[in-house]
Amino acid sequence: MQSESGTSVRVRFAPSPTGYPHLGNIRTALFNWLFARHHDGKFILRIEDTDITRKVEGAVEVILDSLQWLGLDWDEGPYFQSQRLAIYRETVHKLLKEGHAYLCYCSPERLETMRHEQAKQKQPPKYDRHCRDLAQEERTRLESSGATPVVRFRTPLEGETTFHDLVYGLVTFRHDTLDDFVLLKSDGYPTYHLANVIDDHVMTISHVLRAEEWLSSTPRHVLLYQALNWQAPQFGHLPMILGPDRAKLSKRHGSTNINEYQKEGYLPDAMVNFLALLGWSLDDRTEVLSREELIKQFSLERVGKTAAVFNKDKLEWMNGFYLRKLNLGEYVQQAMPFLNRDLPGFVKRPLDEAYVGEVLSLIKERAKTLAEIPQLASFFFLDEIQYDPGLLLGKKLDAQAAAKAITVASRQLQEVEIWDATTLEGNVRPLAGELNLGTGELFGLLRIVVTGRTAAPPLFQTIAVLGKKKCLERFDAALRLLPA
RNA sequence: GCCCCCAUCGUCUAGAGGCCUAGGACAUCAGCCUUUCAAGCUGAAGAUCAGGGGUCCGAAUCCCCUUGGGGGCACCA
């Protein structure tokens, strides 16, 4: 498909490896990906590693893994800005030559005291343009002093810049509220402003879809495009995702890195569906959309402007929903790594896949995340279960009555030949009357005996899966736990 | 302090002047189902559409102001 300007759609996701990607970063990636796929365009991955001091080891790998995990495949890249320094320098020379940029020798110390002064006088912190029009002798003096300059953009002093944002509409900034921002740092690396403009141009990016936090630096970028005589891409800023405290997502918000969600057992499809609904909607009722539907339906027109607080409860619900939709085979595949990871070490590995399948068919409806599964299913795998013996007692059930019920039930079970839920229930249910107990009471007691828990899958299905031997052992164990 | 953006149930949102006595989803509560827990189904509660002015026959929807929230203002991205 062609965009309005007649060129094909090319979008990029351009994270910086200064940390692990969080929900907000990934939502941006997702929207770019959906936009590209919808328009049959290209999704390009670019690593903005121009700050060597903040680089986090392993971050690039985590970024790539996260995208792969979610199925957000890219068509080009990853490109690394740190390997493209020559391109930036060349462009800076051009800007310098044409008077759109200038060398600035101000020391970090001077800049800091300047800002300090400005703050004291309640002035907006802005570079005072000290080096903007240096006299020639002053320049030579500074050059010979050995100070390494930075390159700054010569921002127009008057006028204003207006651009049309695909999400927010017309946005205008007066030039006198901008300052002469740095293009090239003294270490020779470009700043974000420079590098992203150059790369977006060189890579013929058609649409820049990024978080709203970039809205206020967009006029700088527009000005740069103009100075370079390049056509700017279309900009579309995406509403922010906020933490529960309504502040920009950060490390302070705990589990916000996307790889945490993988570890917690969320499914990529659920994650994608949920994230898509943060800032975008199809209509007034559709909540569940497959990847294909999302691609087909996604449009910038339906992206909202309001920042969204992300709601983990809803994510959990959606994940549970996707989990329940899985067929048993898929479910086993998904759950197996989590069982291996979280079941106690003394449980024999490898786990028997057929047995795991039977177990999971019982807990499938009960898990909201894959990480809950080992916990929900642990009693199926342990030889001995631990629980508070007090659970065996009830209102009408003292130790003696409980012991009797357990003994009777145990004896009855020993007789059962066909070990399936229906047969088991047919044999055990009548015992309630004989023991003068309510069925709920008896079943509740047996549930504790067999699972050690008050909440578990249906009793007879559980007994069926557990097997005769293990069940009878648990009946004996319960008897031993009961006070004499 | 300055600049920019935003403003509908607790949260995510629908709503592009009359269909709104504001719809859906999550969460909450209740009922049904039921041997427990889930799931499922049904229902309830929950938003004077931030407040105030306009415009209009008519405003959640358009304009202005106020307030609130967010973002930006680095040799970070």
Side-chain angles (χ1 to χ4, degrees):
Chain A
M1 210 209 214
Q2 306 283 295
S3 75
E4 289 143 62
S5 56
T7 54
S8 56
V9 166
R10 289 171 60 82
V11 293
R12 60 8 177 231
F13 175 52
S16 73
T18 51
Y20 292 175
H22 63 202
L23 252 13
N25 304 136
I26 293 297
R27 201 278 313 260
T28 297
L30 173 62
F31 279 25
N32 273 284
W33 182 82
L34 287 172
F35 187 74
R37 293 292 170 260
H38 177 88
H39 290 287
D40 218 357
K42 299 289 188 218
F43 178 57
I44 293 145
L45 182 57
R46 185 172 77 216
I47 305 296
E48 311 228 317
D49 53 349
T50 54
D51 187 347
I52 38 182
T53 62
R54 292 203 312 152
K55 183 178 172 124
V56 168
E57 217 44 58
V60 172
E61 288 69 24
V62 176
I63 290 167
L64 303 190
D65 286 350
S66 299
L67 293 174
Q68 268 157 356
W69 174 58
L70 289 169
L72 306 185
D73 55 327
W74 55 94
D75 305 298
E76 286 178 32
Y79 297 112
F80 291 84
Q81 292 189 322
S82 58
Q83 293 169 10
R84 304 164 56 79
L85 300 183
I87 304 174
Y88 310 128
R89 283 179 198 149
E90 189 189 321
T91 310
V92 165
H93 285 311
K94 189 177 159 213
L95 286 168
L96 242 17
K97 203 174 64 196
E98 293 172 1
H100 289 118
Y102 62 92
L103 297 171
C104 168
Y105 296 88
C106 293
S107 67
E109 293 73 35
R110 192 188 97 79
L111 294 175
E112 201 180 315
T113 56
M114 177 198 75
R115 267 182 229 113
H116 192 74
E117 277 304 306
Q118 288 166 337
K120 218 162 71 180
Q121 290 175 228
K122 309 235 180 213
Q123 294 295 309
K126 281 187 348 189
Y127 176 57
D128 62 4
R129 297 182 161 130
H130 180 261
C131 297
R132 182 167 165 126
D133 295 298
L134 278 183
Q136 188 51 51
E137 63 258 35
E138 180 69 356
R139 186 184 310 280
T140 10
R141 194 184 63 77
L142 287 163
E143 266 164 32
S144 54
S145 79
T148 333
V150 300
V151 178
R152 287 182 184 272
F153 185 67
R154 193 182 294 274
T155 303
L157 269 10
E158 290 171 355
E160 58 185 33
T161 287
T162 297
F163 57 92
H164 179 84
D165 188 272
L166 263 10
V167 173
Y168 288 94
L170 248 32
V171 185
T172 301
F173 288 81
R174 281 174 32 206
H175 294 340
D176 59 17
T177 64
L178 271 27
D179 71 350
D180 291 354
F181 55 98
V182 173
L183 297 171
L184 200 67
K185 301 182 257 183
S186 56
D187 62 5
Y189 280 74
T191 60
Y192 170 83
H193 302 302
L194 208 228
N196 106 85
V197 162
I198 294 176
D199 280 346
D200 285 343
H201 175 258
V202 171
M203 297 176 187
T204 62
I205 297 301
S206 61
H207 303 256
V208 172
L209 309 179
R210 67 218 327 176
E212 198 233 73
E213 55 186 321
W214 294 109
L215 195 59
S216 28
S217 37
T218 305
R220 302 178 221 279
H221 306 157
V222 172
L223 251 14
L224 253 179
Y225 281 107
Q226 283 168 5
L228 289 161
N229 220 285
W230 291 343
Q231 173 163 47
Q234 306 239 74
F235 294 99
H237 289 87
L238 308 173
M240 306 276 293
I241 296 179
L242 274 20
D245 59 352
R246 305 208 117 266
K248 186 176 168 180
L249 233 37
S250 73
K251 324 87 222 153
R252 307 195 74 249
H253 291 104
S255 169
T256 166
N257 292 157
I258 195 75
N259 54 330
E260 291 294 319
Y261 290 89
Q262 181 175 13
K263 285 183 205 145
E264 286 177 32
Y266 290 88
L267 295 172
D269 283 350
M271 210 69 214
V272 162
N273 192 159
F274 174 78
L275 251 20
L277 259 20
L278 238 38
W280 176 86
S281 64
L282 175 60
D283 55 29
D284 62 339
R285 52 195 65 252
T286 312
E287 304 283 341
V288 177
L289 294 105
S290 69
R291 216 169 270 264
E292 294 67 36
E293 283 165 331
L294 285 171
I295 290 171
K296 185 170 163 227
Q297 303 288 4
F298 185 81
S299 80
L300 253 22
E301 290 74 63
R302 294 204 60 83
V303 171
K305 298 182 183 36
T306 4
V309 173
F310 112 96
N311 176 201
K312 197 166 181 179
D313 279 339
K314 188 161 180 176
L315 204 214
E316 273 186 18
W317 162 78
M318 189 166 278
N319 199 247
F321 185 88
Y322 272 84
L323 236 24
R324 275 173 251 126
K325 276 202 318 195
L326 255 30
N327 68 43
L328 192 57
E330 293 167 334
Y331 202 96
V332 171
Q333 284 314 112
Q334 294 289 343
M336 205 55 111
F338 287 84
L339 286 168
N340 278 320
R341 185 187 75 185
D342 292 342
L343 242 25
F346 54 79
V347 173
K348 271 199 275 314
R349 312 294 206 284
L351 268 16
D352 181 79
E353 214 166 293
Y355 182 64
V356 168
E358 287 183 68
V359 169
L360 292 187
S361 69
L362 296 186
I363 68 140
K364 192 170 180 288
E365 304 289 303
R366 292 168 174 76
K368 287 204 181 76
T369 67
L370 293 164
E372 291 172 5
I373 291 174
Q375 168 59 223
L376 286 170
S378 65
F379 63 85
F380 279 108
F381 296 94
L382 303 174
D383 287 329
E384 283 174 36
I385 51 172
Q386 311 260 292
Y387 55 92
D388 171 12
L391 292 174
L392 294 167
L393 307 176
K395 277 167 266 165
K396 285 165 54 184
L397 221 50
D398 57 16
Q400 208 185 350
K404 187 181 176 203
I406 293 169
T407 311
V408 169
S410 176
R411 241 177 245 146
Q412 182 67 241
L413 287 178
Q414 282 175 43
E415 304 304 315
V416 176
E417 295 291 339
I418 305 161
W419 200 262
D420 64 39
T422 319
T423 314
L424 289 163
E425 182 166 357
N427 276 272
V428 174
R429 190 178 276 277
L431 300 181
E434 292 169 27
L435 290 161
N436 210 357
L437 293 171
T439 45
E441 231 168 345
L442 206 223
F443 291 2
L445 170 65
L446 300 184
R447 180 172 300 110
I448 300 291
V449 170
V450 166
T451 69
R453 304 179 185 193
T454 52
L459 181 60
F460 298 105
Q461 295 179 47
T462 301
I463 293 178
V465 169
L466 223 31
K468 192 169 189 172
K469 179 167 171 284
K470 216 173 228 175
C471 278
L472 293 175
E473 280 168 12
R474 288 184 185 179
F475 274 79
D476 290 343
L479 252 12
R480 287 195 298 275
L481 280 172
L482 240 23

